[in-house]
Amino acid sequence: MRTRRRPSRNRARNGMKVLKSAGIQLAVLLALQALWIGSSDAQNSPRPALREEVSKQEGIYRSTGENKPGGYTVDRGLTDYASALPGEFARSLAALGPKDRWLDIGAGEAQAILDYYTPEYDLKHQEGRELRGRKARAVALSIEDRRTPLWWKKAESRNANQIQYLFNKPLREYSREDLGTFQVITDVIGGFSYTTNLSLFMEKVLGFLDVNGSFYTLLQDVHSEDGKNRPHYEGAPYLTELTNPDGSELKVCTWLKNISCVQVTCELRTGWKPPIEVFHVKKICDATAVPALAPVHYQAGTPPERGFQLKAVARQEAASK
Ligand SMILES: C[S@@+](CC[C@H](N)C(=O)[O-])C[C@H]1O[C@@H](n2cnc3c(N)ncnc32)[C@H](O)[C@@H]1O
């Protein structure tokens, strides 16, 4: 995981203070909801500053060559995925057979998927090798097209249904009819770290997951379940912050555990700089319901700095279940 630079963290901190005025907070909340629940099109932003951040973020997605920020890593391989994600990920992937499907959200160059189809992968994962003979099918999803010559070569030598690379839009713009369902979904500093609408993102992920399927993901620099870590950059907020409707802190892990029909484990890894919290979300029944969050802060970056507030109505509904 590369170190992200946070040169404007004081500005961000000041921005959060300004939002403490309830009236302003509500106005910003409504404006952000209007912008982010729909399209990612920067033109829709009602506030120039926010429009600028969304536009900057789109610039990062589209950047190539020397213009691509150093912190925007798009080529992590399967070994990187296995060492960053929860330990069960490697076992879940190795257990997939030819009828199964793996979705990698925010795949970048899709190097992890390419690695999965190599003989080296089979050599390292003897267990279940016979079952995997023809391997599971895999779908890579990215906003921008980062396919490499290696991807084209692999894709040509395989059945078109076996590996697919989808791009040009964020996860939220796909339906179940478009993508189908999956037994394993991964996200390594992809949409889960970058989305402007975290609860809609999770709803979509769970909609694409089969019952008993698993979503493996992580966040950098987030207040962990055990609460032992502090923000990595002094004076800056955590990279992703959630609050309850009354403004008190809501941990990402707690929010995930409040989703119905899932089992969630969260694990802080302090050996990473910044530290990461890794999440395993297993879908255990179909009636998933994600407590809704409203976006309240967004600052473009690799990944962006984000704040979300739990919507009061969603909380009441969750409590009555
Ligand atoms: C930093 S790259 C990570 C690439 C890859 N996972 C890796 O580790 O090398 C971020 C990726 O997430 C994608 N992304 C960001 N937001 C997304 C969203 N809402 N839906 C789908 N992909 C998204 C970007 O287009 C890009 O492919």
Side-chain angles (χ1 to χ4, degrees):
M1 222 66 29
R2 298 213 180 130
T3 307
R4 95 194 121 84
R5 289 200 279 144
R6 300 278 299 275
S8 52
R9 62 193 182 206
N10 292 334
R11 194 152 48 91
R13 184 58 97 189
N14 290 340
M16 293 304 267
K17 272 184 195 152
V18 171
L19 290 181
K20 288 211 168 98
S21 147
I24 294 174
Q25 191 169 8
L26 184 64
V28 171
L29 207 69
L30 293 172
L32 283 167
Q33 276 174 262
L35 167 64
W36 284 331
I37 286 173
S39 152
S40 66
D41 183 355
Q43 298 302 317
N44 291 343
S45 172
R47 279 169 46 109
L50 297 173
R51 188 165 63 219
E52 200 183 311
E53 293 304 316
V54 172
S55 170
K56 266 192 225 164
Q57 195 63 56
E58 288 178 352
I60 292 172
Y61 295 144
R62 310 284 166 201
S63 63
T64 53
E66 287 183 357
N67 292 327
K68 185 169 78 60
Y72 193 63
T73 307
V74 293
D75 59 356
R76 291 185 187 93
L78 194 51
T79 309
D80 300 316
Y81 273 43
S83 66
L85 293 172
E88 301 95 309
F89 161 65
R91 287 188 288 280
S92 296
L93 190 65
L96 295 184
K99 289 188 181 149
D100 297 321
R101 301 179 79 221
W102 167 28
L103 172 67
D104 186 26
I105 305 169
E109 294 181 356
Q111 188 57 50
I113 288 181
L114 292 176
D115 291 345
Y116 170 64
Y117 291 103
T118 58
E120 289 76 22
Y121 177 80
D122 284 329
L123 280 173
K124 280 188 201 150
H125 299 83
Q126 294 288 334
E127 201 183 325
R129 197 172 56 163
E130 275 179 28
L131 171 73
R132 282 199 313 276
R134 281 170 28 234
K135 298 274 173 75
R137 290 171 287 160
V139 177
L141 209 87
S142 175
I143 289 179
E144 74 277 20
D145 183 1
R146 294 209 181 261
R147 283 173 293 179
T148 58
L150 184 61
W151 173 275
W152 286 110
K153 206 169 147 212
K154 276 276 165 100
E156 274 165 22
S157 66
R158 293 194 169 268
N159 179 325
N161 272 337
Q162 197 170 26
I163 59 170
Q164 272 181 290
Y165 189 103
L166 306 177
F167 61 95
N168 250 350
K169 52 185 186 181
L171 180 79
R172 66 169 172 255
E173 291 182 23
Y174 291 91
S175 66
R176 207 161 143 140
E177 287 68 43
D178 296 328
L179 294 188
T181 59
F182 300 82
Q183 288 69 48
V184 170
I185 302 182
T186 48
D187 185 305
V188 175
I189 322 281
F192 194 66
S193 294
Y194 280 82
T195 182
T196 52
N197 191 327
L198 196 57
S199 49
L200 179 57
F201 182 89
M202 268 315 290
E203 266 171 33
K204 283 285 178 177
V205 168
L206 294 171
F208 295 128
L209 206 56
D210 273 343
V211 171
N212 292 322
S214 286
F215 174 51
Y216 298 101
T217 191
L218 61 93
L219 287 176
Q220 292 180 320
D221 201 4
V222 67
H223 204 189
S224 66
E225 181 180 29
D226 66 14
K228 286 187 180 152
N229 62 316
R230 304 297 312 143
H232 185 64
Y233 297 96
E234 212 185 317
Y238 293 105
L239 199 48
T240 299
E241 290 192 339
L242 309 189
T243 50
N244 287 302
D246 65 3
S248 61
E249 184 195 34
L250 171 65
K251 292 187 178 136
V252 173
C253 180
T254 310
W255 170 70
L256 287 172
K257 285 184 172 178
N258 283 334
I259 298 174
S260 50
C261 271
V262 297
Q263 277 171 352
V264 177
T265 59
C266 312
E267 182 194 337
L268 175 68
R269 303 227 176 120
T270 52
W272 299 79
K273 295 270 177 284
I276 57 175
E277 187 167 34
V278 306
F279 308 103
H280 177 188
V281 180
K282 182 173 177 186
K283 180 168 168 179
I284 54 170
C285 47
D286 256 324
T288 55
V290 179
L293 299 169
V296 291
H297 172 67
Y298 191 86
Q299 187 174 23
T302 58
E305 192 177 278
R306 304 171 302 172
F308 301 94
Q309 186 165 40
L310 189 66
K311 288 186 190 173
V313 61
R315 206 183 184 206
Q316 281 159 16
E317 278 170 9
S320 65
K321 277 179 189 156

